[in-house]
Amino acid sequence: MIKPIRLLLLAIVFPCVLAGLNVLSSHPPGDVISFSNQPHNQYLAASQAAFTISIKPPLAKDLIPDLRPATSLWFQDPITIESLQAQLDLYSKADDVWNENFIESLFIVYDSQTQKNVDVQTETYAWLKSRGVIRVFLSSSIRRPSPDVIASYLISEKIPPGPFIITASESSPSKLQIHNVYKLCLDEYEAFLFGSIPDLVQGGWMPTNITSTLPSVEDGPETQLIPVPSRLSMLRSKDPLAGTRFGLKDIFDAQGLPTSAGSLAYARTHAIPNETAPSITKLLSLGANMVGKTRTSQFAHGAHPWEFVDVPYSWNPRGDGYLTASASSSGSACAIAGYEWLEFTVGSDTRGSVRKPAALTGVYGIRPSHGSLDLSGVVPLSEEMDTAGFFARHPHIFYEIATRWYIDSPVASKETFSRFPSKLLYPIDHFPVKSKNGQNLIDGFISTLTRHLGISVMHVNFTETLVPFFPNGTFPAFQKASNKLAEYRSWMDVGNPTTQEHLSRFGSYPIFDPIPQKMFARAKVITADDFAEAVTLKRAFSDAISQDIFKYDEESCSDSIFMYDTATGGIPSYRVEDFNHLAGATPFLLTAAGGDNPEAAASDFFNFIASMGELPEVTVPIGQVDYFSPLSRTWEPIPIAIQLVSRKGCDKMLLELVRRLADAGVVQPVQVGRSLF
């Protein structure tokens, strides 16, 4: 037996910090709980059990029927005070869900390949008891301690690492139910529609719809609390994305969750999906965890913040908090820019809906080559241009997710390249950007590219380069053809079916947001022949730029990379229309409904090139500059990002370029909140 004086010393050095567990409210997905010593941290204990295991001996009555916090630890080496402390330290550093309140009950799993059975010293159990552990559940390879040391039970299964909530019933004291637990994180930037957790009975997910008692930023629904799972699953999983969490744009189907595509009418006329989009199933198979649906503009049409009606616009965390985040994937962009508890968020890009928000929020983003992923189960905008992209803050995480998500792309180049392209196309009709300091950052980035990667800069008037491929040699005509692809498809595939179903069910026409209304009105006069002509033009453009601009190179995949800025060049543009008339502000250019402006310049809409050319494009944040905010009356940071475009199928080359620059410290992870760094 351990000497009493040693127990006393252990209690002094490691005082018990465990606190009572309080049930705050109950919901179909589970109970909201907190610990008395951390009342501001709330958790969701799932109502469905993740595991039901047999234990010996039967449970003591003090464990029935209350909720009890628990932690599962895994060992392959001897179980000692030192190894236990190391595990707890790792849990504390690696996970933002787990804390020491969860060690009241401890699962200890021994998983050695060389030793079948193991003894744990009495002193070690005494140390656990001094830390506040009341009972231990041991895998069958561990010998139970004497009952006077600590309450112990043998378990029939190996419980994965992490925090849990355990329950039992008086009718089955030899059975223990183990429930997943989620930390509830405030959606302060209103980037989400709702949170979700896995439905372990029916499959898919169930929406949580648990809201904060705090008032929302502006009139509207109460602020959501998003259930965040523990990252500790990564400790025993072989899945490459295990432990990562992501938010999903609400045009992707997820089994059990409503898809509204930003439209109340669409949600009313469409059943809850019973299948998950294949592109998202692929992420899940890689080990990623989806935590909820993010907001989108209606039907993914490009719309200004003040044109969001059915679903309010999200808040860009950068700068003074009133900057625009642009297009339809803005909810996903604001989420990744605002929340440390996310590793990435999924969006879609048709004509800039990942690229523009990524640049405006200062995060990494990608529009892959068109055709990289199966987009069934995704509300379409234009099948001829739609792609599934994503956002991330860390360049290496960005690289890992992209290379694994798009690994089976049928349009990716199968060749192995040995170097990067030799030419960087710098459009003199586009640069310099409006902010002098922003241009200085861009110039510095270009110098670094030439120094690290041996790329030569070619100054070109890119509008003149593109003119031969435009109908009638004009960009507005090219833009109009692109608009027809989106307007016709969106109306035929989404708008008209939703309208007819609404009429059938409710006897009235649905009310759409302003931009879809305009798009659908135009679509009604587009004929099938008009649409076919636009498709032919797009294919001809895609073929031409692959042959004449982004030429194939067997060593570098593409002979060139094109760069431009898709944001505001370091000048603030705001979510409130009137604010953009304030001194120092600028309106943000989106694809206006119609696109018939004879003054529209190609140099302002280079995002169309990848969309119509089916090209891959990445957004790379390279720094930030200060602007004086007329709202906060102080200097605020605004992101500067650069776009890199290359030949169709050369996605891996662009991703390798980002990784190489990250390895060299040229590009860096960005932080959440007001400032990138």
Side-chain angles (χ1 to χ4, degrees):
M1 292 288 292
I2 187 170
K3 295 181 180 180
I5 187 66
R6 182 69 183 276
L7 279 175
L8 178 60
L9 289 173
L10 286 171
I12 294 173
V13 176
F14 300 107
C16 175
V17 295
L18 306 189
L21 186 152
N22 305 304
V23 177
L24 305 179
S25 59
S26 295
H27 309 264
D31 293 332
V32 176
I33 62 174
S34 70
F35 296 101
S36 58
N37 63 348
Q38 298 177 350
H40 298 296
N41 289 334
Q42 296 181 9
Y43 302 85
L44 176 66
S47 57
Q48 298 173 344
F51 309 95
T52 299
I53 62 173
S54 298
I55 64 169
K56 294 180 180 179
L59 288 170
K61 290 185 178 181
D62 70 327
L63 198 57
I64 302 173
D66 295 335
L67 302 178
R68 298 287 185 176
T71 294
S72 178
L73 302 177
W74 281 59
F75 295 89
Q76 291 180 319
D77 299 316
I79 303 170
T80 64
I81 292 175
E82 290 73 20
S83 63
L84 283 162
Q85 183 64 64
Q87 281 269 27
L88 296 177
D89 288 344
L90 175 62
Y91 277 30
S92 181
K93 292 176 181 177
D95 197 28
D96 50 2
V97 177
W98 184 88
N99 65 65
E100 289 213 8
N101 286 310
F102 283 99
I103 66 171
E104 176 186 301
S105 298
L106 204 61
F107 291 89
I108 302 178
V109 177
Y110 188 66
D111 190 39
S112 175
Q113 301 297 318
T114 60
Q115 187 175 350
K116 291 185 178 181
N117 297 299
V118 64
D119 285 314
V120 179
Q121 296 296 318
T122 300
E123 183 178 8
T124 301
Y125 285 119
W127 179 82
L128 285 175
K129 198 169 183 178
S130 73
R131 295 293 299 266
V133 177
I134 297 176
R135 61 193 68 83
V136 292
F137 297 91
L138 308 173
S139 59
S140 57
S141 56
I142 304 174
R143 294 185 180 89
R144 291 180 62 205
S146 170
D148 61 342
V149 175
I150 195 169
S152 67
Y153 304 83
L154 293 179
I155 56 177
S156 59
E157 295 183 30
K158 296 177 179 179
I159 307 305
F164 297 95
I165 294 295
I166 57 176
T167 61
S169 66
E170 292 183 5
S171 60
S172 301
S174 295
K175 297 289 185 180
L176 192 66
Q177 292 187 321
I178 302 168
H179 304 256
N180 289 323
V181 63
Y182 304 82
K183 187 173 183 180
L184 292 172
C185 296
L186 184 68
D187 179 25
E188 61 180 300
Y189 298 110
E190 299 184 344
F192 282 83
L193 287 170
F194 50 78
S196 62
I197 63 173
D199 186 331
L200 304 179
V201 176
Q202 302 294 330
W205 289 267
M206 61 177 75
T208 51
N209 272 322
I210 298 171
T211 58
S212 169
T213 55
L214 299 174
S216 59
V217 178
E218 59 181 22
D219 292 340
E222 292 180 306
T223 304
Q224 289 279 323
L225 293 170
I226 307 302
V228 175
S230 168
R231 287 192 176 104
L232 296 176
S233 61
M234 64 183 176
L235 297 180
R236 299 298 301 177
S237 175
K238 294 181 180 179
D239 294 333
L241 300 185
T244 63
R245 308 134 170 180
F246 70 96
L248 180 65
K249 183 177 181 177
D250 185 36
I251 64 168
F252 291 80
D253 283 349
Q255 180 185 349
L257 300 180
T259 299
S260 69
S263 167
L264 298 178
Y266 188 92
R268 295 177 72 192
T269 54
H270 288 75
I272 293 176
N274 56 17
E275 293 183 351
T276 298
S279 55
I280 305 308
T281 300
K282 189 172 183 179
L283 283 174
L284 300 171
S285 70
L286 292 168
N289 298 284
M290 196 259 285
V291 302
K293 287 277 196 95
T294 59
R295 303 185 186 196
T296 175
S297 65
Q298 198 163 88
F299 307 129
H301 285 289
H304 290 291
W306 51 89
E307 295 168 325
F308 282 53
V309 178
D310 278 3
V311 177
Y313 194 73
S314 301
W315 295 83
N316 184 347
R318 306 305 189 190
D320 58 23
Y322 285 87
L323 298 175
T324 182
S326 178
S328 68
S329 299
S330 52
S332 286
C334 291
I336 197 63
Y339 304 137
E340 289 184 349
W341 36 269
L342 291 170
E343 276 67 52
F344 68 103
T345 51
V346 172
S348 66
D349 190 301
T350 303
R351 292 190 292 178
S353 291
V354 166
R355 294 165 286 166
K356 289 176 179 289
L360 290 164
T361 58
V363 298
Y364 296 86
I366 183 171
R367 173 200 167 86
S369 293
H370 184 260
S372 292
L373 287 173
D374 179 356
L375 294 186
S376 56
V378 183
V379 178
L381 174 54
S382 170
E383 292 181 13
E384 289 70 29
M385 297 182 286
D386 290 345
T387 62
F390 72 96
F391 306 88
R393 292 186 306 276
H394 198 296
H396 288 114
I397 292 177
F398 176 71
Y399 173 84
E400 288 295 328
I401 293 168
T403 54
R404 296 180 187 280
W405 197 19
Y406 306 126
I407 192 170
D408 299 321
S409 167
V411 299
S413 173
K414 306 305 179 185
E415 304 297 326
T416 301
F417 61 90
S418 57
R419 61 175 177 81
F420 292 106
S422 58
K423 295 183 296 185
L424 179 68
L425 304 179
Y426 178 92
I428 58 174
D429 48 329
H430 176 79
F431 291 115
V433 297
K434 296 175 182 178
S435 164
K436 182 179 179 180
N437 290 335
Q439 184 63 40
N440 289 339
L441 279 176
I442 293 169
D443 291 342
F445 178 75
I446 294 171
S447 297
T448 301
L449 278 182
T450 60
R451 184 170 64 254
H452 281 267
L453 306 179
I455 298 177
S456 299
V457 180
M458 289 188 61
H459 290 78
V460 295
N461 185 316
F462 210 63
T463 300
E464 292 182 358
T465 302
L466 294 170
V467 162
F469 312 120
F470 291 156
N472 303 321
T474 67
F475 174 73
F478 177 75
Q479 184 185 36
K480 186 175 182 179
S482 177
N483 287 348
K484 285 181 180 179
L485 295 176
E487 293 160 0
Y488 184 86
R489 278 289 197 187
S490 187
W491 171 247
M492 297 299 292
D493 294 342
V494 179
N496 189 44
T498 299
T499 298
Q500 297 306 317
E501 186 66 20
H502 202 278
L503 279 169
S504 174
R505 291 193 189 188
F506 308 110
S508 62
Y509 284 94
I511 299 174
F512 296 124
D513 281 5
I515 292 302
Q517 283 187 40
K518 295 177 183 179
M519 292 292 203
F520 293 159
R522 289 184 58 83
K524 292 176 184 178
V525 299
I526 299 174
T527 67
D529 288 342
D530 293 335
F531 174 73
E533 182 182 356
V535 171
T536 300
L537 185 150
K538 174 191 171 290
R539 290 174 179 169
F541 177 79
S542 179
D543 292 342
I545 60 173
S546 292
Q547 180 177 340
D548 298 330
I549 299 178
F550 300 102
K551 299 178 182 179
Y552 173 72
D553 188 292
E554 62 180 10
E555 294 182 345
S556 58
C557 191
S558 174
D559 71 335
S560 60
I561 294 173
F562 174 64
M563 67 175 293
Y564 74 103
D565 166 43
T566 195
T568 58
I571 304 299
S573 187
Y574 290 104
R575 60 180 289 125
V576 177
E577 186 174 14
D578 289 346
F579 290 177
N580 292 315
H581 301 296
L582 297 172
T586 185
F588 187 74
L589 295 175
L590 280 177
T591 305
D596 290 335
N597 180 9
E599 304 299 322
S603 59
D604 291 330
F605 294 96
F606 281 146
N607 55 293
F608 276 73
I609 298 171
S611 298
M612 293 288 278
E614 305 187 354
L615 309 178
E617 181 173 332
V618 295
T619 304
V620 182
I622 61 173
Q624 61 189 17
V625 296
D626 290 337
Y627 70 97
F628 187 79
S629 169
L631 305 177
S632 66
R633 306 301 299 170
T634 189
W635 290 94
E636 302 279 4
I638 188 171
I640 298 293
I642 207 70
Q643 305 301 124
L644 300 176
V645 189
S646 196
R647 179 183 174 86
K648 182 177 181 179
C650 294
D651 309 49
K652 185 67 181 297
M653 179 271 292
L654 287 178
L655 293 168
E656 286 290 347
L657 188 149
V658 173
R659 185 188 65 80
R660 179 79 64 86
L661 294 176
D663 288 345
V666 175
V667 298
Q668 302 174 13
V670 298
Q671 297 178 351
V672 299
R674 173 177 172 269
S675 177
L676 270 63
F677 309 108

